[in-house]
Amino acid sequence: MSCADKFPVSSSSLSSSSSSSSSSKFVTTIFTKPLLGHFPLLNPRWVYPRLTCFLSNTPPLPTKASSFINNNTEGKKEDKEGVVTTIVKSLALSDDVEDTLELFGENLSLKEITVILRLQENWERAVRAFKWFKSKEGYVHNAIHYNVVLRILGRAQQWDELRLCWIDMAKNNVLPTNNTYSMLVDCYGKAGLAKEALLWIKHMMMRGFFPDEVTMSTVVKVLKEVREFDRADRFYKNWHGGKVDLDDLDFDTSSAFTTADGSKSSVPISLKQFLSTELFKIGGGIRDSNDIENQNPLSTFTYNTLIDLYGKAGRLQDAADVFVDMMKSGVALDSCTFNTMISISGRHGNLLEAESLLVKMEEKGISPNTRTYNILLSLYANAGNIDAAVSCYRRIEEAGLVPNVVTYIALFGVLCTENMVQVVEAVIDEMEKSSVSINERSLLDIVKMYVNEGDLDKANDLLEKFQMNWEPSSKICASIMDAFAEKGYWAEAESMFYRKRDMAQLQKRDIVEFNVMIKAYGKAKLYDKAVSLFEEMKNQGVWPNDNTYRSIIQMLSGADLVDQARSLTVEMLEMGFKPDCKTFSAVIGCYARLGQLSEAVDVYQEMLRAGVKPNEVVYGSIINGFAEHGSLDEALQYFHLMKESGLSVNLVVLSTLLKSYSKVGDLEGVMSIYEQMQNMEGSLDLVASNSMITAFAELGLVSEAKQTFENLKETGCTNSTSYEIIMDLYKDVGLIDEAIKIAEEMKLLGLLNDCVSYNKVLICYAVNKQYHECVELLREMISKKILLNGRTFNLLLTILKKGEFPTEAIVQLESCYQEGKPYALQATYTAMYSLLGMHALALESCQTLLESEVENLDSAAYNVAIYVYTSAGYFEKALNIYMKMRDKRVEPDIVTHINLVVCYGKAGMVEGVKKIHRLLEYGEIEQSESLLQAIKYAYKHCNRKFRRVMRFNFDSEENSEDESETEYDVGSEGETEYDVRSKIE
């Protein structure tokens, strides 16, 4: 029986056979059952017989064919090439394909027709041109032309047109070749239709074809791209053994391939639709075949594909074996071979081997190309070897090659990550000299670098320059906005968001840009702007997605704007989006922090109704909320619910309960929780241990707290919190010496890292009246640029009060701090330096205060300066400060007069003392006990008697006695502060 008898190709028979069965049955019928009584039963893991004839039944392309015969001499060859070029250009410029071909298309050879078809960029034009050629008398139908058109249609993903072309090919009795099938597999694979691509292999096998090396390589490449590495390896090895395992080509239609970028491939037509078309019901005739012997690859492309396959699969040894086999077999190695091997070696951490391959490459006489150096550049960059990466870039130019986009992306990527601004700018200058533009990916890296450096001018200049020629994609713009937002530059992100857009391309703000801008406002705590933009996006026809809702809900919850967050949660559910656990958790946590526990429970119930399972954070927030507000029973209720839900109890939750027990003084409960902590897997963590020390401290169990602390020290797991807790405990129970020892130990261990830890040590020193140590720590905080907070300020005021600093001056400084005056803190610690006799420090700080960029210093700052210079004995300078104060039209207050009296007294300027004394007597200065005392001591400094002229009604009993026994003089009238100053000069 002949091969044709075994494999009939009646399309009508095949159609009737398949129409009554499902797609799955269709495959089974074709490959396992006789078709119309002619198919023998086949083993699905068959070995095909050898093909006796690989040639097409289509006659070979004739050298002459009626009007298509070109009998011109060799001398006219260039003219014919010019005609082909003219036809291609004319077709590209004209919509009337047929008229153009009528003018130029006569007397063309089949080879020239092939060139014309292959150069068509528009699939419709290619189909029309092919139809015109076929319509001409004498045209010989052939597989080459059909292959060209099928490839064009496949690349354009015009599957229906491809189906019609395939049917037409069969009608004209043109049998597909191995090249046809290889091309179809490639087109379907590149379109993400890997399942359908493999079905072409089944089709060709049923037509008696065994895949040649090109087809095999194409299949391996398709499987490699969808990360089916093992299946690709099996296909190659089966092919090598002379067989194809059909079962291994079957895929579950419900499963999806994972592409190289991690996404799932989409299938525009179902498997049933694909199989039920005429594609697999026709296709020419059947080839005679015999047994196939072992196949050995002979192509460089095949070996390169296999090496890349094993490299991507992480099978390094297999890749190396193929490389060795390639050299042994005598197959030519090319730059792609070495590039792949260098990439594989480097990606798996073997840079030395990658470098040795580069040497071997050059020894083989194969010149490295730009891709070679790009690979090495990326490998060095990933390894952190910046010098070697830059060297690779230089070698591209030295080799006479041209850097490409990949080169600059890799180079800028590493240089910008390391903030190598000067090198980056040097490369940009080189690019400009070569008229090479920065691509948008590199633009993002460079802008990020400038933003990290805080050089916003350069970042904006680069963006402006880039946008003059190109409009960055929305994705890149969103990333640039995000870079600004991360550093708090919301205004720059906003400027990018509202940038002028290319209206010709109808570029609009997309959802990603809105999401990033909302995030930027949130980071800057501009919540009103964030909410306003959220509403604005709807008016612009851009509807929020689930990420938009999650972002703004979590932002508002973090800002304790819980009512708005809750409202948006409801809106999100109404829009058909489901908030994730993190979003619900943010709202619940906010309610718990604010003590609105019933609302927190309501959201928790809403979360359950939405089908979102609470996690440890949700339960922890609710438990902590009830624990913080003394509701131990409710906290325990949710603790049990958490355990019942199958969630593992963590140390954070147990620490919360431990604190709750300690607050109510339940020592038994504390010990019970502590025991549970110790029984958990792993060692007791630092948070839990610190919570235990806190619990003992709150219960007044000093020895137990101390023992826990010492045990923690032995394990070497203490932190600043551990020391702060035990130091506070010692201080609170009066063990100040022990507290000071802990403070000194913290300093030695370098545990003072933030304002909180510094403040706790400062308090210990202040309680023990170690004020000079306080100053030393304060200066250390300032040098480290640690932001002083309200507790630091209160501590400074306490030291001033203990040093008998005038009460009115303390009240004035406190008022300045509460009003947010920028110099309040500096003025306060400057006064403290002076009070403690550290005049050099006080003068230096005072000079900085007076020279600060703060405009319109008020009387509080000038008063401190007068006090500082007076205390240091610089009386003239103190009076100059007073005169400067008056020049600035800053009115003196009671503190000013107190400081002036002290200055006059210490300087022996009795007239100045008398002047202020007189102002006080006449009621031009408000009555003040501190001022009266200052006047009294000023007279004593001037060796003058203190004679009573008038009585002041002060509450102080001591002051009343002094006034009844003493008198003081008033100076001559008409003397001014300027007169006093002239006397001193």
Side-chain angles (χ1 to χ4, degrees):
M1 183 180 293
S2 69
C3 185
D5 292 332
K6 288 184 180 180
F7 299 94
V9 196
S10 170
S11 61
S12 60
S13 300
L14 286 170
S15 298
S16 61
S17 172
S18 62
S19 61
S20 60
S21 62
S22 66
S23 61
S24 60
K25 291 181 180 179
F26 178 84
V27 179
T28 306
T29 301
I30 280 189
F31 295 113
T32 62
K33 295 183 180 181
L35 184 60
L36 299 179
H38 294 291
F39 270 38
L41 189 63
L42 299 177
N43 185 337
R45 297 184 179 276
W46 60 7
V47 177
Y48 267 105
R50 180 188 297 275
L51 298 180
T52 56
C53 178
F54 282 168
L55 299 177
S56 170
N57 289 339
T58 303
L61 295 180
T63 56
K64 297 181 180 181
S66 63
S67 63
F68 283 85
I69 301 174
N70 182 6
N71 293 318
N72 291 336
T73 63
E74 191 69 26
K76 296 182 180 179
K77 183 177 180 180
E78 292 184 3
D79 293 338
K80 294 298 293 182
E81 289 177 352
V83 170
V84 170
T85 303
T86 300
I87 292 173
V88 172
K89 289 183 177 179
S90 298
L91 288 173
L93 297 173
S94 174
D95 291 332
D96 197 333
V97 175
E98 292 76 14
D99 286 352
T100 301
L101 291 175
E102 288 289 350
L103 290 174
F104 302 103
E106 298 293 337
N107 302 320
L108 293 174
S109 69
L110 296 177
K111 183 177 180 181
E112 289 163 346
I113 294 173
T114 303
V115 173
I116 292 170
L117 291 174
R118 184 177 288 126
L119 293 177
Q120 297 309 306
E121 296 180 357
N122 180 280
W123 68 268
E124 293 179 298
R125 191 179 296 117
V127 170
R128 289 171 64 184
F130 187 38
K131 184 177 180 180
W132 186 89
F133 286 126
K134 289 189 298 179
S135 69
K136 293 303 173 182
E137 184 179 355
Y139 174 79
V140 179
H141 296 278
N142 61 90
I144 294 176
H145 289 173
Y146 277 104
N147 288 352
V148 170
V149 177
L150 286 170
R151 179 182 293 276
I152 292 172
L153 294 172
R155 287 178 173 175
Q157 299 187 23
Q158 296 297 318
W159 309 120
D160 195 51
E161 290 291 335
L162 185 145
R163 176 181 63 84
L164 295 174
C165 185
W166 177 260
I167 294 170
D168 184 68
M169 183 177 180
K171 286 181 179 178
N172 290 305
N173 295 318
V174 178
L175 294 180
T177 65
N178 239 307
N179 287 341
T180 310
Y181 285 110
S182 177
M183 175 271 300
L184 289 169
V185 171
D186 182 61
C187 288
Y188 276 83
K190 287 179 178 176
L193 304 174
K195 301 180 183 67
E196 288 73 8
L198 296 181
L199 290 175
W200 283 110
I201 301 302
K202 287 193 173 186
H203 187 278
M204 73 178 293
M205 298 286 288
M206 289 307 302
R207 293 304 186 264
F209 281 94
F210 187 81
D212 64 6
E213 185 176 339
V214 175
T215 309
M216 179 275 297
S217 298
T218 306
V219 172
V220 170
K221 184 179 179 182
V222 168
L223 290 170
K224 178 191 68 174
E225 292 303 317
V226 294
R227 307 189 70 78
E228 286 284 335
F229 302 127
D230 292 338
R231 200 182 297 267
D233 176 52
R234 289 194 299 270
F235 185 84
Y236 163 68
K237 289 179 176 175
N238 285 333
W239 176 88
H240 181 66
K243 62 180 181 180
V244 171
D245 186 349
L246 293 182
D247 284 349
D248 213 22
L249 299 178
D250 287 329
F251 290 93
D252 179 9
T253 57
S254 63
S255 63
F257 282 99
T258 302
T259 58
D261 63 359
S263 62
K264 300 293 183 181
S265 64
S266 59
V267 183
I269 56 175
S270 70
L271 182 59
K272 181 176 180 180
Q273 289 172 316
F274 189 87
L275 291 176
S276 63
T277 62
E278 293 89 337
L279 280 170
F280 290 154
K281 300 174 187 175
I282 57 178
I286 306 301
R287 313 297 179 116
D288 292 331
S289 58
N290 294 316
D291 292 338
I292 300 297
E293 296 177 354
N294 290 352
Q295 304 291 303
N296 291 314
L298 301 174
S299 164
T300 301
F301 175 80
T302 302
Y303 278 104
N304 290 345
T305 301
L306 292 172
I307 291 170
D308 191 45
L309 164 69
Y310 292 129
K312 283 185 168 63
R315 295 164 60 171
L316 308 186
Q317 189 57 51
D318 286 338
D321 290 344
V322 172
F323 182 65
V324 172
D325 289 343
M326 185 177 183
M327 290 190 289
K328 287 180 179 179
S329 65
V331 175
L333 286 73
D334 62 7
S335 60
C336 181
T337 312
F338 279 100
N339 288 346
T340 306
M341 285 300 299
I342 290 170
S343 178
I344 291 169
S345 300
R347 283 202 318 266
H348 290 87
N350 201 335
L351 264 175
L352 291 177
E353 183 177 329
E355 291 168 348
S356 67
L357 283 166
L358 177 64
V359 174
K360 193 172 189 67
M361 179 180 186
E362 293 170 337
E363 289 174 354
K364 289 281 186 181
I366 302 172
S367 299
N369 54 22
T370 302
R371 184 169 183 269
T372 312
Y373 291 114
N374 286 349
I375 292 169
L376 286 168
L377 194 160
S378 297
L379 293 175
Y380 285 126
N382 292 335
N385 191 339
I386 311 300
D387 292 338
V390 175
S391 175
C392 285
Y393 168 68
R394 297 298 177 201
R395 289 181 69 178
I396 293 175
E397 297 176 334
E398 292 168 3
L401 301 169
V402 179
N404 57 22
V405 172
V406 177
T407 312
Y408 289 115
I409 289 175
L411 182 64
F412 282 125
V414 62
L415 294 178
C416 294
T417 301
E418 297 296 325
N419 293 331
M420 301 179 70
V421 179
Q422 292 182 340
V423 182
V424 167
E425 291 175 345
V427 175
I428 293 174
D429 290 341
E430 291 176 10
M431 293 174 69
E432 288 180 348
K433 290 176 183 177
S434 303
S435 299
V436 178
S437 300
I438 297 172
N439 64 81
E440 64 174 19
R441 182 63 185 83
S442 297
L443 173 72
L444 172 60
D445 289 333
I446 299 169
V447 169
K448 279 185 176 180
M449 176 191 70
Y450 283 135
V451 171
N452 289 335
E453 291 290 299
D455 199 337
L456 298 183
D457 290 338
K458 286 186 177 180
N460 289 324
D461 288 346
L462 182 66
L463 284 171
E464 184 178 347
K465 190 173 183 180
F466 185 90
Q467 289 175 298
M468 288 174 63
N469 301 311
W470 305 97
E471 174 69 22
S473 67
S474 182
K475 181 179 179 181
I476 291 295
C477 289
S479 298
I480 291 172
M481 288 164 54
D482 196 47
F484 283 125
E486 285 295 327
K487 293 294 182 179
Y489 301 130
W490 65 269
E492 285 70 19
E494 186 180 65
S495 176
M496 191 73 183
F497 180 73
Y498 288 109
R499 69 190 182 278
K500 185 178 180 181
R501 296 174 185 258
D502 189 350
M503 298 306 295
Q505 299 181 23
L506 297 177
Q507 290 194 350
K508 297 181 179 179
R509 301 182 189 93
D510 66 6
I511 186 66
V512 177
E513 291 187 62
F514 276 100
N515 288 350
V516 172
M517 196 63 238
I518 289 172
K519 171 188 171 184
Y521 285 141
K523 278 186 168 290
K525 299 184 177 2
L526 300 172
Y527 306 116
D528 290 341
K529 278 181 170 285
V531 174
S532 176
L533 183 61
F534 177 76
E535 297 299 332
E536 179 186 333
M537 66 189 294
K538 300 176 187 176
N539 297 331
Q540 294 187 17
V542 181
W543 287 97
N545 59 14
D546 52 349
N547 287 332
T548 318
Y549 279 106
R550 289 170 186 167
S551 176
I552 196 165
I553 290 170
Q554 292 171 27
M555 173 209 309
L556 294 173
S557 298
D560 289 343
L561 300 172
V562 69
D563 292 335
Q564 287 177 273
R566 177 70 182 281
S567 175
L568 287 172
T569 305
V570 174
E571 181 181 318
M572 183 178 183
L573 287 166
E574 291 174 349
M575 291 291 293
F577 298 119
K578 180 187 286 188
D580 59 2
C581 186
K582 188 176 180 181
T583 305
F584 275 117
S585 177
V587 180
I588 291 171
C590 185
Y591 275 130
R593 282 195 309 276
L594 298 176
Q596 301 178 35
L597 299 174
S598 60
E599 287 82 356
V601 171
D602 288 344
V603 178
Y604 167 77
Q605 296 294 338
E606 191 175 280
M607 182 180 187
L608 296 179
R609 288 193 297 271
V612 179
K613 184 179 179 181
N615 61 9
E616 294 91 338
V617 178
V618 173
Y619 283 108
S621 297
I622 298 175
I623 292 169
N624 188 66
F626 281 115
E628 286 293 329
H629 290 83
S631 303
L632 179 58
D633 292 339
E634 287 82 356
L636 289 172
Q637 174 189 343
Y638 282 93
F639 175 66
H640 295 311
L641 282 174
M642 177 180 176
K643 292 198 294 184
E644 289 171 4
S645 68
L647 294 171
S648 58
V649 177
N650 56 42
L651 289 169
V652 175
V653 173
L654 289 176
S655 298
T656 299
L657 287 176
L658 188 146
K659 287 189 291 184
S660 185
Y661 276 118
S662 66
K663 281 185 177 181
V664 297
D666 190 339
L667 180 59
E668 184 178 347
V670 168
M671 298 306 296
S672 171
I673 296 295
Y674 188 56
E675 184 178 352
Q676 289 184 56
M677 290 179 168
Q678 290 178 314
N679 291 334
M680 293 183 71
E681 291 185 8
S683 59
L684 198 62
D685 74 352
L686 191 56
V687 174
S689 298
N690 287 340
S691 297
M692 197 63 211
I693 298 172
T694 303
F696 284 136
E698 289 177 350
L699 293 170
L701 303 174
V702 179
S703 59
E704 287 82 354
K706 181 179 180 181
Q707 186 60 48
T708 306
F709 175 71
E710 293 298 331
N711 292 341
L712 195 59
K713 280 177 64 178
E714 290 178 5
T715 63
C717 296
T718 52
N719 63 359
S720 60
T721 304
S722 314
Y723 279 89
E724 289 166 15
I725 295 169
I726 200 72
M727 182 172 60
D728 282 344
L729 173 61
Y730 287 147
K731 175 175 61 67
D732 292 342
V733 298
L735 299 174
I736 191 63
D737 291 338
E738 294 291 332
I740 293 295
K741 287 180 182 178
I742 295 294
E744 293 292 341
E745 194 171 341
M746 285 183 73
K747 288 171 61 179
L748 291 174
L749 293 173
L751 294 176
L752 301 181
N753 299 311
D754 57 16
C755 192
V756 173
S757 56
Y758 271 103
N759 283 344
K760 288 184 179 293
V761 176
L762 281 169
I763 291 171
C764 281
Y765 283 137
V767 169
N768 207 35
K769 297 184 179 180
Q770 295 179 241
Y771 300 129
H772 283 74
E773 284 79 358
C774 287
V775 170
E776 182 184 338
L777 276 183
L778 183 67
R779 294 188 66 207
E780 189 176 308
M781 292 174 73
I782 295 169
S783 66
K784 288 183 177 180
K785 296 183 179 180
I786 294 175
L787 188 63
L788 310 182
N789 61 17
R791 193 162 187 183
T792 316
F793 178 76
N794 289 333
L795 177 65
L796 299 178
L797 287 186
T798 300
I799 294 174
L800 290 175
K801 290 175 183 176
K802 289 186 177 182
E804 298 182 358
F805 197 68
T807 303
E808 291 84 352
I810 291 174
V811 171
Q812 189 177 68
L813 289 172
E814 189 171 15
S815 176
C816 285
Y817 183 78
Q818 291 173 351
E819 292 173 9
K821 298 291 178 62
Y823 56 81
L825 266 167
Q826 184 168 3
T828 305
Y829 61 69
T830 301
M832 184 189 71
Y833 293 157
S834 185
L835 178 69
L836 297 175
M838 300 179 177
H839 299 303
L841 285 178
L843 290 169
E844 179 184 351
S845 183
C846 184
Q847 187 69 20
T848 304
L849 175 65
L850 293 174
E851 293 176 355
S852 65
E853 297 179 358
V854 178
E855 295 183 1
N856 302 322
L857 291 172
D858 62 10
S859 61
Y862 288 113
N863 290 342
V864 168
I866 294 170
Y867 174 81
V868 168
Y869 283 110
T870 298
S871 299
Y874 294 99
F875 308 123
E876 182 179 356
K877 183 65 176 176
L879 292 174
N880 284 337
I881 296 295
Y882 173 66
M883 300 313 299
K884 180 180 179 181
M885 175 181 175
R886 297 305 301 270
D887 290 343
K888 293 284 187 179
R889 300 186 183 279
V890 178
E891 290 297 324
D893 53 32
I894 189 65
V895 179
T896 313
H897 291 117
I898 292 172
N899 290 338
L900 281 175
V901 165
V902 173
C903 179
Y904 291 148
K906 288 185 176 182
M909 299 172 61
V910 69
E911 290 84 359
V913 178
K914 288 180 179 179
K915 172 64 177 176
I916 296 178
H917 187 180
R918 186 174 61 255
L919 293 173
L920 179 66
E921 176 192 2
Y922 294 154
E924 295 183 26
I925 300 175
E926 62 179 296
Q927 295 183 7
S928 164
E929 180 181 353
S930 298
L931 179 57
L932 181 63
Q933 291 294 334
I935 291 171
K936 180 195 299 185
Y937 290 115
Y939 275 122
K940 287 182 180 180
H941 272 291
C942 296
N943 296 318
R944 294 296 181 94
K945 291 184 179 180
F946 200 51
R947 294 184 296 110
R948 178 170 62 85
V949 174
M950 58 180 290
R951 180 182 300 275
F952 292 90
N953 296 320
F954 293 107
D955 295 333
S956 171
E957 183 179 337
E958 179 185 353
N959 217 40
S960 298
E961 292 175 357
D962 288 341
E963 290 167 14
S964 63
E965 297 172 358
T966 59
E967 294 179 350
Y968 51 91
D969 297 327
V970 294
S972 58
E973 294 188 25
E975 191 173 51
T976 67
E977 288 87 349
Y978 292 95
D979 297 325
V980 173
R981 184 185 176 197
S982 64
K983 288 181 180 180
I984 225 177
E985 292 173 348

